[in-house]
């Protein structure tokens, strides 16, 4: 009788643990499903609605980029959505762009990054931050990294900047790909390597890394790093692709490029396990960065 009770208890414990494990994956995937295929405005509203539901306040920071030339004037409108936490003098920025390329449904690029950022905001609500933290949903990345540029000009005081962590392409594969590693991010890389040890995830770092919002920070000499989750071998392929001046080598094309920016970038190709990997790795990195401020 006792033995069967114990068995019953263990069975319940095991099932509730697996429930807890699957729920973060469900949460992440449902964000990707929620944002994919929406219009630009729809993607913006999806994020705001999620934050409303969580009872989390945000700053909506609009911007206009106006380019005047001899014959006409073009205006690109955008709006960054920023969730602010912590009170420290130094600041950590965690960013993911929410705009999609052209008519692409934008599930992996970058519904995946948005999903991870939303879950980080939700799951880290009770953290006592030793830094100020800005969780940024950047707009108009696909139009030339505009959102991150305007965020820097509007919100960043360079001497108060500590680290920027960018999330773009988090939804396929089983390899943590980090970069671009260089002189600009030696401090962050120390914590990235600690996160690598702690998580034990397959990990590849590259001196070359595809352009995303971290590049805006690098241009201002602000410490930054980007994290992607990619299929095995794609880290090297992507680094090579960047080294080749963004020309795909027909023999060795990175797998993620086959879907990115196309109509095939849908949630059915996004893996909950990849999203969870990104979430766990970034969460571990943020906690290590936070502890450094004690
Ligand atoms: Zn992207």
């Amino acid at each position: 009788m006792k033995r069967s009770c114990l068995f019953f208890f263990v069975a319940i414990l095991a099932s509730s643990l697996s429930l807890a494990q699957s729920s973060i994956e469900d949460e992440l995937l449902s964000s990707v499903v929620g944002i994919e295929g929406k219009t630009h405005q729809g993607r913006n509203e999806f994020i705001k609605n999620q934050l409303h539901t969580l009872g989390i306040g945000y700053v909506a920071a609009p911007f206009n980029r106006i380019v005047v030339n001899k014959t006409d004037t073009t205006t690109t409108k955008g709006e960054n959505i920023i969730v602010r936490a912590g009170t420290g003098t130094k600041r950590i920025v965690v960013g993911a762009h929410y705009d999609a390329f052209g008519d692409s449904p934008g599930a992996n690029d970058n519904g995946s990054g948005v999903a991870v950022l939303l879950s980080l905001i939700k799951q880290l609500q009770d953290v006592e931050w030793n830094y100020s933290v800005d969780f940024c949903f950047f707009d108009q990345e696909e139009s030339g990294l505009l959102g991150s540029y305007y965020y820097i000009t509007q919100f960043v005081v360079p001497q108060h900047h500590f680290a920027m962590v960018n999330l773009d392409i988090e939804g396929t594969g089983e390899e943590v790909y980090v970069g671009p590693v260089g002189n600009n991010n030696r401090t962050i890389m120390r914590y990235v390597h600690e996160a690598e040890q702690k998580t034990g995830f397959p990990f590849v770092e590259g001196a070359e890394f595809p352009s995303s919002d971290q590049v805006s920070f690098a241009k201002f000499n602000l410490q930054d790093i980007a994290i992607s989750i990619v299929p095995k071998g794609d880290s090297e392929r992507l680094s090579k692709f960047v080294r080749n001046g963004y020309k795909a080598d027909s023999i060795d094309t990175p797998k993620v490029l086959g879907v990115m920016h196309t109509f095939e970038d849908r949630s059915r190709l996004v893996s909950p396990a990849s999203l969870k990997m990104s979430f766990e790795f970034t969460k571990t990195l943020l906690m290590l960065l936070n502890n450094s401020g004690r």
Side-chain angles (χ1 to χ4, degrees), residues 129-143:
W129 294 103
N130 299 311
Y131 291 92
S132 295
V133 185
D134 276 3
F135 297 94
C136 298
F137 300 91
F138 290 126
D139 198 0
Q140 301 294 8
E141 187 267 355
E142 304 286 7
S143 314

Side-chain angles (χ1 to χ4, degrees), residues 20 76 108 149 167 195 220 238 248 257 259 271 289:
T76 311
N108 193 23
Y149 169 81
L167 302 170
F220 284 86
L238 283 163
L257 296 185
V259 173
S271 153
L289 288 168

Side-chain angles (χ1 to χ4, degrees), residues 97 109-110 141-142 168:
H97 77 86
D109 185 16
N110 187 26
E141 187 267 355
E142 304 286 7
D168 194 358

Side-chain angles (χ1 to χ4, degrees), residues 175-249:
E175 200 166 85
V176 180
Y177 175 38
V178 167
V181 179
N183 291 329
N184 187 42
N185 54 23
R186 300 229 180 273
T187 314
I188 306 178
M189 284 310 292
R190 233 178 31 231
Y191 301 106
V192 166
H193 289 143
E194 273 188 57
E196 177 198 354
Q197 300 255 303
K198 271 198 143 171
T199 58
F201 294 159
F203 175 93
V204 180
E205 63 185 56
E208 291 88 8
F209 201 92
S211 171
S212 180
D213 289 311
Q214 80 278 358
V215 171
S216 297
F217 287 75
K219 281 185 179 155
F220 284 86
N221 276 319
L222 302 164
Q223 289 233 359
D224 62 88
I225 198 74
I227 301 170
S228 294
I229 306 296
V230 295
K232 194 165 165 36
D234 250 18
S235 303
E236 282 87 359
R237 286 189 282 264
L238 283 163
S239 291
K240 196 177 164 198
F241 171 68
V242 176
R243 264 201 306 282
N244 284 354
Y246 291 87
K247 287 189 283 287
D249 181 331

Side-chain angles (χ1 to χ4, degrees), residues 32-290:
V32 176
V33 171
I35 200 166
E36 76 171 319
K38 285 197 162 56
T39 61
H40 183 250
Q41 186 60 26
R43 295 172 84 93
N44 174 293
E45 281 162 13
F46 171 79
I47 294 165
K48 289 175 178 171
N49 288 337
Q50 295 295 303
L51 295 172
H52 276 300
T53 307
L54 294 170
I56 289 171
Y58 57 82
V59 180
F63 59 85
N64 280 318
R65 193 199 40 180
I66 302 164
V67 178
V68 183
N69 62 35
K70 276 184 187 156
T71 49
D72 59 3
T73 302
T74 53
T75 304
T76 311
K77 286 179 182 296
E79 186 181 76
N80 293 325
I81 303 166
I82 306 159
V83 173
R84 317 199 87 175
T87 55
T89 311
K90 292 264 183 181
R91 190 190 292 153
I92 298 169
V93 180
V94 197
H97 77 86
Y98 70 85
D99 59 308
F101 182 87
D103 288 335
S104 170
N108 193 23
D109 185 16
N110 187 26
S112 63
V114 167
V116 173
L117 198 56
L118 279 168
S119 285
L120 287 169
I121 291 167
K122 183 179 173 187
Q123 306 289 341
L124 301 180
Q125 282 183 80
D126 297 329
V127 169
E128 282 193 28
W129 294 103
N130 299 311
Y131 291 92
S132 295
V133 185
D134 276 3
F135 297 94
C136 298
F137 300 91
F138 290 126
D139 198 0
Q140 301 294 8
E141 187 267 355
E142 304 286 7
S143 314
L145 316 178
L146 297 185
S148 47
Y149 169 81
Y150 281 97
Y151 167 79
I152 294 167
T153 61
Q154 291 168 341
F155 290 92
V156 171
V157 179
Q159 52 272 39
H160 292 174
H161 179 81
F162 177 48
M164 188 273 178
V165 179
N166 192 58
L167 302 170
D168 194 358
I169 310 284
E170 313 295 316
T172 60
E174 54 289 298
E175 200 166 85
V176 180
Y177 175 38
V178 167
V181 179
N183 291 329
N184 187 42
N185 54 23
R186 300 229 180 273
T187 314
I188 306 178
M189 284 310 292
R190 233 178 31 231
Y191 301 106
V192 166
H193 289 143
E194 273 188 57
E196 177 198 354
Q197 300 255 303
K198 271 198 143 171
T199 58
F201 294 159
F203 175 93
V204 180
E205 63 185 56
E208 291 88 8
F209 201 92
S211 171
S212 180
D213 289 311
Q214 80 278 358
V215 171
S216 297
F217 287 75
K219 281 185 179 155
F220 284 86
N221 276 319
L222 302 164
Q223 289 233 359
D224 62 88
I225 198 74
I227 301 170
S228 294
I229 306 296
V230 295
K232 194 165 165 36
D234 250 18
S235 303
E236 282 87 359
R237 286 189 282 264
L238 283 163
S239 291
K240 196 177 164 198
F241 171 68
V242 176
R243 264 201 306 282
N244 284 354
Y246 291 87
K247 287 189 283 287
D249 181 331
S250 59
I251 305 157
D252 213 10
T253 305
K255 286 182 184 153
V256 290
L257 296 185
V259 173
M260 204 181 108
H261 294 183
T262 75
F263 207 66
E264 292 307 308
D265 185 7
R266 297 172 188 278
S267 60
R268 63 182 169 79
L269 297 179
V270 167
S271 153
S274 308
L275 296 170
K276 188 184 170 195
M277 198 173 219
S278 171
F279 170 81
E280 294 291 350
F281 191 89
T282 310
K283 184 177 119 181
T284 304
L285 175 61
L286 288 178
M287 292 304 95
L288 290 165
L289 288 168
N290 191 44

